[in-house]
Amino acid sequence: MPVVVLSGFLGSGKTTLLNHLLGNRGGTRIGVVVNDFGSIEIDAMAVAGQVGDSMVSLGGGCLCCAVDGSELDAYLEKLSAPVHRIDVIVIEASGLAEPQEMIRMLVASENPAVRYGGLVQVVDAAEFDETRAKHPETDRHLAVADLVVLNKTDRVEPADLTRIGAELGTLCPGTPVVAADHGRIDPELLFDRRPWTETRGQLSFEDLISEARDAAEAEPGARAAGHGDHTGHAHTVYESTEFVSEQALNPRRFIDFLDRRPAGLYRIKGYVHFGVPGHEERYEVHAVGRFLRFVPGPWGRGEPRRSQLVLIGAGTDGSALLRELESCREPAPQHAPPESIWGVLRYVDRPAQPDAEPEPDAEPEPEPCEPDPYGDPDSARDPDDR
C-alpha cells in the first residue's frame, strides 16, 4: 500500500487537508499517522472506538495513531496488517518535521506491505513570505516535494498568487502546484477512491464531517461560494484523460513521455504492458507530481495483455497527451533488446522476477539502482542534494 506524506509548517493547513481527504474518501480504507490527535476532528474521534496502543478507530475503515519518529516503523507495520484491510496510509508530519528524514525512512523500509507514495508539501499562500523569512528551511522542503498544495488561496489577491506561483517555479522547478482553499483537493490526486460497498451503521468519520458541513451551510449567513453547489469544488478543476492500448508500449518511449510530462499533470495511474522478453508481467504505474513508481506483478487469469492509464491534471491538453501515448506503441515487443526496460526498472522497488530463466550464456542485466523518490530520471540522489 502507498504511504503518502503530508508536510508543511504549522498553520499551513495540513490537518484541514487531511480531514478533507478523510471526509471524501468514498470506500477507501485509510490509515493515518499523526504526531498529535488533538486537531484531528476530536469530536468525531470521541464517538469512535479505541483499538489500543495509541491507535484510534475513526470509523468506516479508518485508523489513526499518534507517534514520534522512532515509532514510525512499528506503527506502519501495525497499520499494514491484513486484519485492518487498509488501502492507503497518510502521514501528517509535524509542522517542524524534516520531510527528508521521513522519506529516507520510508524508502529504506524493509516492510514489504508498504511503499513510499510521494511527499505533498502544503504551503500557506497568505503567509508565504513570512514563513520563508522565519523558516529558511522551507526552500529545502519545497525542493524535495513531489506535489505542492498552495493552500488558502481565497485569502490572497490574484497578483500575489501570480507572484507566489512564479517563486515556487524557481524554488521547485517542474513540481506541480495545486491551488486550494480550505485544503480542498481531489483525493484522486493522491490515491484511488473505492466505491462504497459497505452498509453504513454507526456514524463513520466521513458521515460526521459531512453532517457538520451540511449543518454549517444551512446556517444563515454561511459562506455560499463553493458550498451549496459544486462551484469551486476540486473536481471541477481537473480533467481526466484515459488511454487504452491493446498493443504493448515501448518502455523507452514511455519513460521519455513520463520525463516530459507537463507540470499540470498531477496524477498518473494504471497498468502497462511492455512485453519485453523476460519482463512480460503487468507493470502498475503510480505517479503523484514528480514521484514515479512501477510495481510489476502477474496478470490475472484470463486478463488481456493491454495498457490502461488514467491521467489527471489541470490545464492539460488531453488530445496531445493521447497522441504522445499512441506514439509509445510497440508493434514488435518480442524483438526489443533487454536494455530497453532498464529505464523502467529504475523505478521498481525490487527487481522484477522474469517469467523465464535466462540462458546460461546470456549477458546479465545490471542491478536497478535505488528509485529516485523525487522523480528525477537522471539520478537517484540523496534528499539533501536537492
Side-chain angles (χ1 to χ4, degrees):
M1 69 188 70
V3 180
V4 179
V5 179
L6 289 182
S7 180
F9 282 102
L10 295 169
S12 61
K14 298 188 303 299
T15 299
T16 302
L17 193 155
L18 177 58
N19 285 334
H20 171 75
L21 295 178
L22 290 168
N24 295 272
R25 62 185 178 80
T28 306
R29 302 176 72 88
I30 301 178
V32 179
V33 179
V34 295
N35 290 109
D36 177 23
F37 285 145
S39 55
I40 306 290
E41 296 287 342
I42 191 66
D43 292 336
M45 294 181 66
V47 302
Q50 296 282 339
V51 297
D53 292 328
S54 298
M55 293 179 65
V56 173
S57 170
L58 299 181
C62 291
L63 289 176
C64 188
C65 55
V67 303
D68 60 30
S70 64
E71 299 173 313
L72 182 59
D73 255 345
Y75 278 102
L76 288 178
E77 185 172 352
K78 289 186 177 183
L79 287 172
S80 62
V83 66
H84 299 311
R85 295 184 292 138
I86 297 295
D87 298 308
V88 61
I89 295 174
V90 179
I91 298 177
E92 182 191 354
S94 160
L96 302 177
E98 283 292 337
Q100 295 97 323
E101 295 304 317
M102 303 194 76
I103 294 171
R104 281 198 188 97
M105 189 178 301
L106 291 170
V107 171
S109 174
E110 297 182 357
N111 183 346
V114 300
R115 57 183 171 84
Y116 174 60
L119 171 68
V120 179
Q121 182 77 13
V122 184
V123 174
D124 184 341
E127 303 292 334
F128 179 72
D129 297 323
E130 186 175 351
T131 299
R132 287 187 67 203
K134 289 183 176 179
H135 305 283
E137 62 268 33
T138 300
D139 294 0
R140 187 174 70 252
H141 296 175
L142 285 167
V144 299
D146 298 300
L147 184 70
V148 173
V149 175
L150 184 59
N151 197 29
K152 306 184 185 181
T153 54
D154 55 317
R155 296 175 50 194
V156 178
E157 295 297 326
D160 287 328
L161 273 181
T162 300
R163 173 183 61 82
I164 293 171
E167 291 189 40
L168 288 173
T170 301
L171 294 169
C172 45
T175 302
V177 178
V178 180
D181 64 87
H182 299 87
R184 292 192 294 260
I185 68 170
D186 192 334
E188 288 278 348
L189 296 182
L190 305 182
F191 54 80
D192 294 340
R193 273 187 297 186
R194 297 180 183 272
W196 274 107
T197 57
E198 303 172 2
T199 301
R200 298 192 192 190
Q202 178 184 353
L203 281 180
S204 71
F205 190 85
E206 186 166 4
D207 294 326
L208 289 163
I209 293 177
S210 179
E211 284 193 359
R213 183 167 54 224
D214 293 344
E217 290 168 4
E219 291 179 3
R223 288 193 311 272
H227 289 270
D229 54 22
H230 289 288
T231 305
H233 283 204
H235 63 76
T236 65
V237 179
Y238 308 124
E239 303 97 28
S240 177
T241 301
E242 297 184 1
F243 172 78
V244 178
S245 175
E246 304 294 338
Q247 214 170 48
L249 301 189
N250 182 287
R252 282 176 171 166
R253 291 199 291 271
F254 186 58
I255 286 291
D256 286 343
F257 164 77
L258 294 174
D259 288 346
R260 293 181 286 101
R261 61 191 187 272
L265 186 54
Y266 304 129
R267 177 90 191 278
I268 302 174
K269 58 181 180 177
Y271 302 97
V272 184
H273 175 221
F274 295 118
V276 175
H279 300 278
E280 290 89 354
E281 59 268 78
R282 185 182 71 174
Y283 282 80
E284 178 185 352
V285 60
H286 170 77
V288 173
R290 293 189 302 173
F291 173 75
L292 175 64
R293 179 64 45 81
F294 286 96
V295 182
W299 294 95
R301 180 175 297 180
E303 183 179 2
R305 270 50 169 176
R306 64 185 176 192
S307 298
Q308 301 181 77
L309 297 170
V310 177
L311 303 94
I312 303 172
T316 55
D317 185 339
S319 298
L321 292 174
L322 289 176
R323 285 194 299 271
E324 288 194 56
L325 285 169
E326 286 165 2
S327 71
C328 296
R329 297 180 195 267
E330 176 54 63
Q334 68 274 18
H335 299 312
E339 60 269 20
S340 64
I341 198 73
W342 292 351
V344 171
L345 295 182
R346 284 180 56 83
Y347 299 100
V348 172
D349 271 328
R350 297 168 182 83
Q353 298 299 319
D355 291 343
E357 291 295 326
E359 294 296 329
D361 57 350
E363 183 178 347
E365 295 183 11
E367 191 76 13
C369 49
E370 178 70 19
D372 178 10
Y374 315 102
D376 186 340
D378 298 324
S379 65
R381 58 180 59 143
D382 185 277
D384 286 339
D385 293 339
R386 293 297 297 237

